[in-house]
C-alpha cells in the first residue's frame, strides 16, 4: 500500500444504477444517452483500471447492464434507495473498501478515486465522501466493507437516509470545491441541457 493512498486492488467499485428515474418519466438513468453515449459508460470511465472489481447495482434492464460488467440487485426489488445497493455490493465484495459512484453524473473527474482514497488514508476514517463546496455529495464515496453489519441493521429498521448512516461512523470529506461542475447530476430532462 502506498504511503499516501489505498491500493486499488483492495477496492471494489460500485456504480449505482438502481433508481426508478421518477422525475425522468421512469427512464433508467444509466441507459440515458448524452453525447451519443449512455451514462453508465461515463461512470465506468471514472473507475481506475487497476481497481480489482467493478459492480453495477441495477434492478431492471439487467441484461443491458451485464454488457458492461457484473451486476448486483437489491434484496428487495422495491427501489429501497442507494444504501440497499451498497449493501448488496458489500455482500459479494471481498475487498476492504467499496468505491461508490452514481450513474447520473457524466462529468465526473477521472481522479475522483484518488481524492477519496487519499483523504480516507490520511484520516483513517470509515467513510469518505465528496464536499463540492456547495453541498455534500454523499454518493461519491469510499466506504469500508467492515461496516456491512452496521448497514444491515440500519436498513432493517426501515431507515434509508445515507447521511444519517454515515454519521454513525467516522467520516471525512474530500474537498473538491474546485470541481463543482463535475458533480452535476441528471434528475430532470432540463438537467441534460445544463450539461452542455
Amino acid at each position: 500500500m502506498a504511503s499516501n493512498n489505498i491500493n486499488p486492488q483492495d477496492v471494489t467499485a460500485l456504480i449505482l444504477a438502481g433508481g426508478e428515474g421518477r422525475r425522468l418519466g421512469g427512464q433508467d438513468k444509466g441507459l440515458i444517452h448524452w453525447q451519443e453515449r449512455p451514462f453508465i459508460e461515463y461512470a465506468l470511465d471514472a473507475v481506475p483500471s487497476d481497481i480489482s472489481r467493478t459492480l453495477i447495482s441495477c434492478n431492471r434492464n439487467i441484461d443491458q447492464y451485464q454488457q458492461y460488467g457484473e451486476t448486483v440487485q437489491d434484496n428487495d426489488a422495491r427501489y429501497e434507495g442507494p444504501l440497499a445497493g451498497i449493501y448488496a455490493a458489500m455482500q459479494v465484495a471481498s475487498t476492504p473498501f467499496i468505491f461508490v459512484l452514481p450513474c447520473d453524473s457524466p462529468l465526473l473527474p477521472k481522479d475522483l478515486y484518488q481524492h477519496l482514497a487519499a483523504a480516507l488514508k490520511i484520516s483513517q476514517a470509515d467513510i469518505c465522501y465528496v464536499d463540492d463546496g456547495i453541498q455534500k455529495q454523499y454518493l461519491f464515496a469510499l466506504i469500508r466493507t467492515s461496516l456491512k453489519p452496521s448497514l444491515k441493521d440500519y436498513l432493517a429498521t426501515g431507515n434509508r437516509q445515507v447521511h444519517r448512516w454515515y454519521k454513525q461512523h467516522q467520516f471525512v470529506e474530500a474537498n473538491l470545491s474546485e470541481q463543482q461542475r463535475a458533480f452535476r447530476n441528471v434528475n430532470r430532462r432540463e438537467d441534460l441541457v445544463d450539461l452542455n
Side-chain angles (χ1 to χ4, degrees):
M1 189 178 288
S3 61
N4 65 343
N5 222 325
I6 292 167
N7 187 339
Q9 288 297 305
D10 289 331
V11 181
T12 298
L14 172 66
I15 298 171
L16 296 170
E20 289 181 276
R22 280 176 291 187
R23 287 177 282 181
L24 279 161
Q27 279 187 278
D28 192 328
K29 284 193 195 178
L31 302 176
I32 290 174
H33 279 67
W34 178 66
Q35 294 190 352
E36 300 181 7
R37 298 177 71 203
F39 277 5
I40 187 68
E41 292 186 6
Y42 294 100
L44 288 166
D45 285 349
V47 176
S49 60
D50 49 354
I51 275 184
S52 67
R53 185 181 185 186
T54 298
L55 302 171
I56 301 169
S57 170
C58 55
N59 293 312
R60 55 184 170 150
N61 299 314
I62 294 165
D63 289 347
Q64 288 177 262
Y65 282 116
Q66 284 175 337
Q67 295 174 33
Y68 296 100
E70 188 178 354
T71 63
V72 292
Q73 285 75 50
D74 298 353
N75 290 339
D76 188 322
R78 292 179 297 182
Y79 300 99
E80 296 287 0
L83 286 180
I86 293 169
Y87 180 66
M90 283 183 171
Q91 289 181 288
V92 300
S94 56
T95 55
F97 302 93
I98 284 187
F99 169 43
V100 180
L101 60 162
C103 69
D104 60 356
S105 296
L107 304 178
L108 282 180
K110 298 294 186 288
D111 60 352
L112 173 61
Y113 167 75
Q114 285 78 10
H115 284 286
L116 292 169
L120 192 69
K121 180 75 186 293
I122 291 166
S123 68
Q124 293 294 302
D126 299 314
I127 298 166
C128 179
Y129 60 84
V130 169
D131 180 345
D132 71 7
I134 296 177
Q135 63 188 46
K136 315 298 185 187
Q137 298 284 359
Y138 297 115
L139 296 180
F140 301 89
L142 191 60
I143 303 171
R144 293 184 189 271
T145 53
S146 59
L147 301 183
K148 180 172 70 171
S150 164
L151 183 51
K152 179 181 179 181
D153 291 344
Y154 183 77
L155 291 170
T157 64
N159 288 307
R160 298 290 178 266
Q161 291 180 297
V162 178
H163 70 282
R164 288 190 175 176
W165 180 64
Y166 283 3
K167 287 180 179 178
Q168 294 179 6
H169 304 283
Q170 287 186 291
F171 63 86
V172 64
E173 297 174 350
N175 183 343
L176 288 166
S177 55
E178 294 181 3
Q179 300 190 61
Q180 286 170 2
R181 178 172 161 76
F183 300 98
R184 287 190 178 182
N185 68 323
V186 174
N187 285 316
R188 301 174 302 272
R189 296 186 194 284
E190 309 89 83
D191 296 334
L192 276 170
V193 177
D194 291 342
L195 291 175
N196 295 312

